[in-house]
Amino acid sequence: MRPAKLWRGWRGCAAVVSIAVAVLFATAAPAAQPQVRYLHQGWEFRLLPDDPQAREHAPATQWRAARVPGHVHTDLLAQGLIPDPYVGAPEAQLQWIGLGAWEYRSRFDLSEATLRKSHAELVFEGLDTYADVYLNGEALLSADNAFRNWRLPVAGKLRARGNELRVVLHSPIRRLLPRVEAMPHKIAGNYPSPYGDEPKEAMTGNFARKPGYHYGWDWGPRYVTAGVWRDVKLESWDGPRIDELHLRQLRVDADVAELRAQVQVRADAAGSATLELDWLDPDGRRARALRQTVQLQAGAQTLNVPVRIERPRRWYPFGYGEQALYTFRARLLDADGQRAQAQQRTGLRRVELRRPRDAEGQGFAFAVNGIEIFAKGANAIPFDMFPARVPRERLRKTLEDARAANMNMLRNWGGGYYESDAFFDLADELGLMVWQDFMYGGGMQPGFDPAFRANAVAEARDQVRRLRRHPSIVLWCGNNEEETAWKDWGHRRKLMESDPAFAQTVWDGYVQLFGRDLREVVAQEAGDLPYWSSSPGNDLDEKANDSSKGDKHYWDVWAGSKPIAAYLDETPRFMSEFGLQAWPSLRTVDAFASAAEQGIDTPVIRAHQKFLAGAGNERLLHYIRAGYGEPRDFAQFVYLSQVMQAEGIELAALHHRASRPHTMGSLYWQLNDVWPGASWSSLDYYGRWKALHFHARRFFAPVAAAALRKDGRTTLSLLSDRTQALPARWTLRVIDFDAREHWRAQGEVALTPLAVTAAGAWSDAELLRGADQRRTAAVFELQAQGEPVSRRVIYFDEAEALALSDPQLRTQWRRDGKAAVLTLQTERLARGLWIEFDGLDAELSDNALTLLPGETVQLRVRADADLARLRQALRLRWLGAP
Ligand code: BMA
């Protein structure tokens, strides 16, 4: 292999050759690209008849239709062999599936034209996990990593009729258990199985390169699935081939983008060829093509082409500029007239992770194209236990909803899988920055094992190469919580006590894998992006979860049971995780529990509450009681859990934003759900918004007011994520719940761009001026350029202690085109107003509202039902309702 640098007279020759180039591009036959045949048809599966599980599960040993890409659980479900893994409480009875060995097979024919091609490769984009692959009886591969992309040369092994592809998937637990059990001292795993399929003291999950959450997590069930979970295809071609066109970004600023196009080529023979490169700008306008003669060698090589774009259209995160995307195209024409081509869509931007040392410690801030950005967003977890069944539409809806809530960053958390190309295409288009973890979810990995590390490095290379074209990715992070688990959760101490030499080996392996190996892969393959060894951390600093340096996971509230107000005492440099649980809406609960099964402590509800460490519903009750009193029934428990979550996360997020520039990010845990159940998410499994998501849209608004009350003193900070100063006016009104205004104040300010403008601070006594604190609120409002943009209401006691009475809401319905419009008018203060519809699906333009006395709002309602049904099904909840 040799990096060919034969691009001569690059800029000068472009004009001269442009006509010839246009002809070459226009006449390229489709045969220029490898022929791709997806092998998704005609699959069957069975439990291996000699598997120990076969004795009790004989029906599963019959060949039956299967889906590829797919998973054994979804195939069993489709065949009616198991109940729905999400409905009721079937988890314990389904653990046998993860202990079985499963066989998949399919047959396919090929045309003579395909068979005549000189090259053929069988490509598996995802095999979960220990998979033996056979083609026409011949063993081709023993795979051991669900995250790798496998390419198998098969020319000469194919025939016209009846090719047979067979995949045997071994149980990952049974495969690894002997090895783990033989270890005198174990390394930390994650969640032990409550079902006896794996011994609690010998967890195998961290030894497998398989999605960690399949082994159970604190928001999802345990389904140790297996399958051919991503595309399978046969690629065949003649002549040269472009494996990848990658645009390395060397310099990107307002004047110029200097790029290096890296064209990965495979050629059959040495010889001269013509390489052309052109691109379409974000409006689809084609740039003048560049053309050069290159000398190819037989085999694989990289052709490097310098590219310069004057005044580039740059890609920006949502809220800071356009999401400009270019499409680059490369074509190769060899001396025999054989062609190859490739194209790549990407965005041009400069990403920096700024880590200034200062008096308080060391900062942590992302800058894109030189603009320091306060990161607002959430952590994304897997979209399903069985990701092959996640439709693109669900990804689109979730990411659009993230943006609708004014988020600009998502963290793809490390215990799942590397998301599909569709996810990142959407993130690119929507302007959502992605903090991308490598898939290591917690506990400790056997980084001391060279074979494990080699596998991890190969995986990292596959994934970074697959994803490096996406401008949305702004960081690669080694793992989730492995360093803090080692240093702060007792793993190091315990291992040091039992076997200090092994403890040192484990730590050295960790540093080698996350400190060096993965960092090197990122530097080599995506050199323009920062690498971060663990979240939380300060890139292998002494302390892993330090409030004064690096990024922080803060769980003293919730996991540590501290009061919600403690959020105000924690001011990190970048909050990458903090969270409060809530149940999804009743409509979602109805999907897995019948009315009779619904109760705070019924078996089915308990089965969908996975926070076992602290008994999730007890923890919810702890917070609900502290702020809102005892829930009267299950429905009110669900409602109050959402109010508590929304108000708590709002307090924390506004505090983080008001702490800019000391704090430069606030990503709450968690955006979405893996199944319908209790969790920290703001969007449930069906995409329904919890109260938190409505609140997030307000507390992440680019221009917002933060009124934060601590120790009897309320501080008003005005937040602006705009890059230009903005004239604004704030008002403060102190009112009682029945409409009387005690007093008011106001101020005019110019909001400093990308900063916090302090507007004032008042003690309770100054605000109340003797009014009854049980029936008084301070209302802070912000207007920018004459428009109301933000409102915060401060109370002087817990909701439970306030004199909230029936607000006397009046409702009115009308049609406006396709949508229904609901007008709500309130006489008295209506706090935490939640609008839902019994037994109906309806999307509301807003919800989780606080209406001030006398206020009217109009909400648009999208639903299939007519007005009469909507009116009848309408149910309003508010705080203080009897
Ligand atoms: C953090 C995450 C997850 C977990 C969440 C809620 O530790 O990294 O592992 O699901 O907290 O407990």
Side-chain angles (χ1 to χ4, degrees):
M1 218 209 279
R2 162 186 75 105
K5 261 190 93 184
L6 294 162
W7 210 263
R8 278 170 276 119
W10 180 238
R11 259 171 283 165
C13 76
V16 186
V17 296
S18 62
I19 296 168
V21 166
V23 172
L24 194 68
F25 270 83
T27 55
Q33 273 170 323
Q35 195 183 70
V36 179
R37 162 87 183 269
Y38 285 90
L39 301 174
H40 295 169
Q41 304 301 318
W43 285 87
E44 298 178 300
F45 82 118
R46 66 171 180 175
L47 177 66
L48 275 186
D50 59 358
D51 189 89
Q53 296 302 317
R55 256 175 286 128
E56 280 185 41
H57 301 282
T61 60
Q62 306 292 313
W63 285 109
R64 290 165 203 266
R67 275 189 88 121
V68 165
H71 310 265
V72 62
H73 285 75
T74 39
D75 287 332
L76 289 166
L77 174 65
Q79 292 301 315
L81 292 176
I82 59 167
D84 190 321
Y86 286 4
V87 176
E91 219 176 311
Q93 82 198 61
L94 296 181
Q95 294 309 315
W96 64 274
I97 302 167
L99 295 172
W102 299 89
E103 186 177 16
Y104 280 70
R105 72 175 182 197
S106 103
R107 278 176 183 273
F108 59 96
D109 299 336
L110 293 171
S111 69
E112 285 303 326
T114 302
L115 287 174
R116 273 199 304 272
K117 302 270 185 213
S118 50
H119 301 276
E121 283 178 359
L122 191 57
V123 183
F124 287 91
E125 293 188 351
L127 288 167
D128 179 10
T129 292
Y130 294 99
D132 296 334
V133 176
Y134 303 87
L135 176 66
N136 295 330
E138 184 187 332
L140 285 189
L141 167 73
S142 277
D144 58 356
N145 187 328
F147 308 122
R148 279 184 69 181
N149 187 16
W150 308 96
R151 249 177 198 282
L152 313 167
V154 292
K157 300 178 199 283
L158 297 162
R159 51 194 184 219
R161 297 261 157 274
N163 291 286
E164 193 199 48
L165 201 51
R166 216 158 58 79
V167 181
V168 177
L169 300 155
H170 302 277
S171 160
I173 299 174
R174 277 170 43 201
R175 169 66 60 99
L176 293 167
L177 200 53
R179 174 178 163 197
V180 178
E181 284 189 311
M183 289 171 72
H185 303 288
K186 310 289 187 270
I187 56 173
N190 287 308
Y191 297 95
S193 174
Y195 306 113
D197 54 317
E198 179 185 76
K200 286 187 164 58
E201 66 291 346
M203 285 184 267
T204 62
N206 279 6
F207 292 81
R209 293 309 300 139
K210 168 175 175 61
Y213 77 108
H214 284 171
Y215 297 83
W217 215 269
D218 57 1
W219 33 254
R222 177 181 176 94
Y223 289 125
V224 185
T225 196
V228 181
W229 75 288
R230 278 190 165 153
D231 287 346
V232 188
K233 57 192 176 182
L234 181 71
E235 292 183 359
S236 49
W237 71 96
D238 287 320
R241 171 193 163 98
I242 300 178
D243 282 332
E244 193 200 354
L245 164 63
H246 173 56
L247 276 299
R248 188 97 174 204
Q249 306 191 10
L250 307 176
R251 170 184 166 198
V252 175
D253 57 35
D255 298 333
V256 68
E258 286 174 3
L259 317 172
R260 184 164 67 226
Q262 298 177 325
V263 192
Q264 318 270 355
V265 175
R266 276 192 274 167
D268 292 338
S272 89
T274 305
L275 177 61
E276 297 171 357
L277 190 90
D278 79 348
W279 57 92
L280 305 175
D281 78 5
D283 295 329
R285 273 193 302 262
R286 190 203 287 166
R288 244 176 5 202
L290 306 170
R291 185 184 199 211
Q292 190 56 282
T293 303
V294 290
Q295 290 301 320
L296 294 180
Q297 291 190 320
Q301 59 223 281
T302 303
L303 307 176
N304 288 305
V305 181
V307 174
R308 193 181 157 87
I309 301 178
E310 309 286 340
R311 287 182 305 285
R313 299 259 299 269
R314 287 176 295 170
W315 183 94
Y316 285 87
F318 170 56
Y320 294 86
E322 66 170 338
Q323 284 73 59
L325 296 168
Y326 285 79
T327 301
F328 291 86
R329 309 185 298 184
R331 273 207 180 116
L332 192 70
L333 176 67
D334 75 7
D336 303 330
Q338 304 259 30
R339 297 166 198 278
Q341 64 183 33
Q343 68 174 45
Q344 195 66 280
R345 189 180 79 164
T346 194
L348 308 176
R349 86 290 185 245
R350 182 161 57 99
V351 175
E352 295 160 82
L353 177 59
R354 294 187 180 165
R355 298 174 60 205
R357 287 184 195 281
D358 53 28
E360 290 109 23
Q362 189 171 12
F364 186 101
F366 290 94
V368 178
N369 300 328
I371 304 175
E372 244 176 53
I373 291 175
F374 189 97
K376 301 179 293 192
N379 288 267
I381 63 158
F383 284 75
D384 203 298
M385 291 307 295
F386 315 112
R389 71 177 181 183
V390 177
R392 183 190 165 93
E393 266 324 292
R394 210 175 132 224
L395 298 177
R396 171 182 292 284
K397 174 88 170 54
T398 308
L399 268 58
E400 281 178 356
D401 286 353
R403 186 168 116 152
N406 288 307
M407 297 184 182
N408 58 27
M409 180 181 275
L410 298 177
R411 169 168 173 248
N412 274 340
W413 163 85
Y417 48 85
Y418 302 89
E419 266 299 342
S420 61
D421 295 320
F423 178 98
F424 293 96
D425 283 339
L426 289 162
D428 293 348
E429 289 160 18
L430 293 167
L432 293 166
M433 295 181 282
V434 178
W435 166 316
Q436 181 64 42
D437 284 0
F438 284 100
M439 290 301 126
Y440 301 88
M444 183 47 88
Q445 311 293 326
F448 49 83
D449 172 3
F452 182 91
R453 273 204 324 272
N455 196 1
V457 165
E459 161 196 324
R461 216 174 281 288
D462 280 359
Q463 293 299 336
V464 175
R465 283 189 178 175
R466 176 172 73 91
L467 298 174
R468 60 186 173 180
R469 71 183 175 85
H470 295 284
S472 50
I473 299 178
V474 295
L475 181 79
W476 280 94
C477 171
N479 65 64
N480 171 70
E481 295 188 342
E482 304 218 343
E483 192 182 328
T484 187
W486 176 255
K487 293 178 175 172
D488 307 323
W489 301 353
H491 300 327
R492 168 172 58 185
R493 186 180 36 79
K494 268 189 238 148
L495 217 49
M496 284 296 279
E497 280 163 15
S498 48
D499 187 343
F502 182 54
Q504 191 58 48
T505 302
V506 170
W507 179 244
D508 290 347
Y510 175 93
V511 173
Q512 183 61 39
L513 178 56
F514 297 109
R516 299 193 195 104
D517 294 355
L518 298 186
R519 188 188 310 274
E520 197 175 291
V521 173
V522 172
Q524 286 168 353
E525 307 293 347
D528 49 349
L529 278 191
Y531 173 82
W532 192 241
S533 59
S534 185
S535 178
N538 194 39
D539 215 10
L540 284 164
D541 212 338
E542 206 166 309
K543 213 168 149 192
N545 197 13
D546 190 336
S547 304
S548 67
K549 294 174 182 171
D551 73 316
K552 175 88 185 173
H553 293 192
Y554 179 74
W555 286 101
D556 288 8
V557 176
W558 181 263
S561 298
K562 275 198 185 168
I564 285 175
Y567 277 137
L568 297 177
D569 301 329
E570 176 60 38
T571 315
R573 312 311 301 258
F574 189 105
M575 187 70 108
S576 42
E577 278 190 19
F578 63 106
L580 289 164
Q581 265 203 0
W583 277 87
S585 64
L586 290 173
R587 187 105 182 103
T588 293
V589 175
D590 286 342
F592 63 82
S594 67
E597 287 166 336
Q598 294 180 22
I600 297 177
D601 199 28
T602 57
V604 171
I605 293 301
R606 245 186 285 136
H608 287 249
Q609 168 54 275
K610 295 296 181 188
F611 185 69
L612 305 177
N617 280 359
E618 274 306 313
R619 189 61 51 90
L620 276 172
L621 282 169
H622 163 79
Y623 283 106
I624 291 171
R625 286 181 186 130
Y628 308 90
E630 190 69 29
R632 169 172 74 247
D633 54 19
F634 181 69
Q636 214 210 4
F637 170 65
V638 169
Y639 161 71
L640 288 178
S641 73
Q642 289 199 19
V643 175
M644 179 279 295
Q645 180 197 36
E647 295 193 341
I649 299 302
E650 170 165 324
L651 181 78
L654 287 173
H655 167 61
H656 304 148
R657 291 191 68 189
S659 303
R660 178 181 187 150
H662 177 90
T663 305
M664 283 304 291
S666 182
L667 309 181
Y668 64 74
W669 184 269
Q670 71 203 56
L671 177 69
N672 58 314
D673 270 342
V674 76
W675 81 329
S679 85
W680 297 264
S681 75
S682 60
L683 298 172
D684 76 23
Y685 177 70
Y686 299 107
R688 298 188 177 114
W689 291 27
K690 293 182 184 172
L692 171 56
H693 211 79
F694 290 98
H695 278 242
R697 184 164 64 186
R698 298 189 282 261
F699 64 65
F700 281 151
V703 178
L708 299 165
R709 178 172 172 267
K710 186 180 172 184
D711 304 329
R713 194 170 176 76
T714 300
T715 309
L716 176 64
S717 307
L718 307 177
L719 318 170
S720 175
D721 290 342
R722 299 284 186 226
T723 49
Q724 318 235 300
L726 211 59
R729 160 199 299 230
W730 60 267
T731 48
L732 158 61
R733 284 182 290 149
V734 178
I735 59 167
D736 78 14
F737 299 167
D738 299 330
R740 198 152 57 90
E741 185 176 305
H742 295 298
W743 65 280
R744 66 161 67 202
Q746 65 178 52
E748 308 273 341
V749 279
L751 300 181
T752 316
L754 301 171
V756 178
T757 306
W762 298 263
S763 69
D764 284 356
E766 283 166 338
L767 288 171
L768 285 166
R769 296 188 182 173
D772 180 354
Q773 66 167 44
R774 291 177 52 251
R775 53 188 76 249
T776 306
V779 180
F780 295 88
E781 282 166 309
L782 180 64
Q783 287 197 342
Q785 291 171 313
E787 294 293 316
V789 289
S790 187
R791 174 198 282 172
R792 305 258 103 76
V793 184
I794 290 293
Y795 305 94
F796 299 91
D797 215 330
E798 299 296 352
E800 185 207 9
L802 298 177
L804 292 162
S805 54
D806 188 336
Q808 305 291 328
L809 286 154
R810 275 196 301 280
T811 60
Q812 232 181 9
W813 284 96
R814 69 183 166 83
R815 274 254 155 236
D816 179 14
K818 281 211 175 110
V821 178
L822 169 64
T823 305
L824 279 164
Q825 204 191 356
T826 189
E827 204 135 299
R828 292 203 269 271
L829 180 99
R831 177 172 172 193
L833 179 62
W834 182 253
I835 302 140
E836 62 190 8
F837 298 89
D838 285 339
L840 278 188
D841 259 330
E843 251 178 62
L844 284 150
S845 57
D846 207 355
N847 207 342
L849 297 156
T850 288
L851 301 187
L852 300 182
E855 198 168 21
T856 302
V857 283
Q858 296 210 338
L859 304 172
R860 295 179 74 79
V861 183
R862 280 224 320 256
D864 287 338
D866 59 20
L867 284 189
R869 279 213 61 201
L870 284 169
R871 187 179 288 125
Q872 186 201 2
L874 176 70
R875 178 187 284 272
L876 302 176
R877 298 179 188 277
W878 61 84
L879 288 181

